[in-house]
Amino acid sequence: MRQFLLITVALLALSGCASESCEKDVVGILNPNQTSAKLLMDYAKTAVCKTDSTGTAKPTTVDEERKLVLIYDLYVKARSYAILNKVFFWLSLISAVAVFLWPSLGVLLKDRLGEREWYKSAIVQTTVTGIAALMFAFYSQYKDKQTYTENLMRYAVFSDKPVDELSQKVIEEIGKIDIGFSFSGVFDKKEDK
């Protein structure tokens, strides 16, 4: 458990070391080893970081800066969800392997465990399966939120709407994203089908 916490803290600390330099051209931001949110954020920065033919930065408007901040706010949220998504993906993968291998442990470790019967208990097997299901639920939750936020970023980046109108739409959608997990939301979706 301690190793898991250390790895999680290390991943969170390293994720804060991402470069936020201002890229000057679209080709320079293309990298297949990044999230969609990172690509969209870098693309939005190119609009604000344009230079003229002499190499001097062109002045930006308040609306361009406000749109960039709006997109950056979405980027921070998408990045957070991406980190949680990755953590729970690996935890769900490990727990899925544990569910499949748990019955085999009795056979493989019979000599080492001796007379201890707890590992064969239905309660233990059910608990392992329940933990796996919980990890998959968290993974699915954060994956959905990451995807929804990235789609909202796409809308904000490629929209021609004025920033005032765009920001109202984004604020409404962020409110929906921030509601979090609720069982009533899950049951309502099933009843609609």
Side-chain angles (χ1 to χ4, degrees), residues 32-84:
N33 298 323
Q34 63 185 345
T35 63
S36 294
K38 175 74 171 132
L39 174 65
L40 291 167
M41 183 63 238
D42 288 344
Y43 180 72
K45 284 192 293 186
T46 61
V48 175
C49 298
K50 296 267 187 213
T51 57
D52 60 18
S53 59
T54 63
T56 57
K58 74 170 184 87
T60 58
T61 65
V62 173
D63 280 350
E64 286 176 325
E65 290 174 354
R66 288 177 61 206
K67 185 173 181 178
L68 182 64
V69 170
L70 185 67
I71 293 166
Y72 196 84
D73 184 30
L74 289 169
Y75 170 65
V76 169
K77 190 170 288 302
R79 187 169 163 249
S80 299
Y81 288 136
I83 292 168
L84 289 168

Side-chain angles (χ1 to χ4, degrees), residues 6-23:
L6 289 173
I7 290 170
T8 304
V9 169
L11 285 174
L12 291 174
L14 289 174
S15 68
C17 297
S19 170
E20 294 296 332
S21 64
C22 184
E23 300 288 340

Side-chain angles (χ1 to χ4, degrees), residues 179-192:
I179 287 174
F181 181 80
S182 70
F183 287 104
S184 63
V186 172
F187 292 128
D188 290 344
K189 287 180 187 175
K190 287 183 179 179
E191 290 173 5
D192 290 341

Side-chain angles (χ1 to χ4, degrees), residues 16 76 90 121-122 148-149 184:
V76 169
W90 287 106
S121 167
Y148 192 80
T149 307
S184 63

Side-chain angles (χ1 to χ4, degrees), residues 123-140:
I123 294 171
V124 174
Q125 290 179 2
T126 302
T127 302
V128 170
T129 305
I131 290 170
L134 185 63
M135 294 301 111
F136 278 107
F138 281 133
Y139 163 70
S140 176

Side-chain angles (χ1 to χ4, degrees), residues 1 5 9 36-37 53 74 85 87-88 118 134 143-144 167 170:
M1 184 66 175
L5 291 174
V9 169
S36 294
S53 59
L74 289 169
N85 172 31
V87 167
F88 283 107
W118 61 267
L134 185 63
K143 183 64 180 174
D144 287 347
S167 66
V170 169

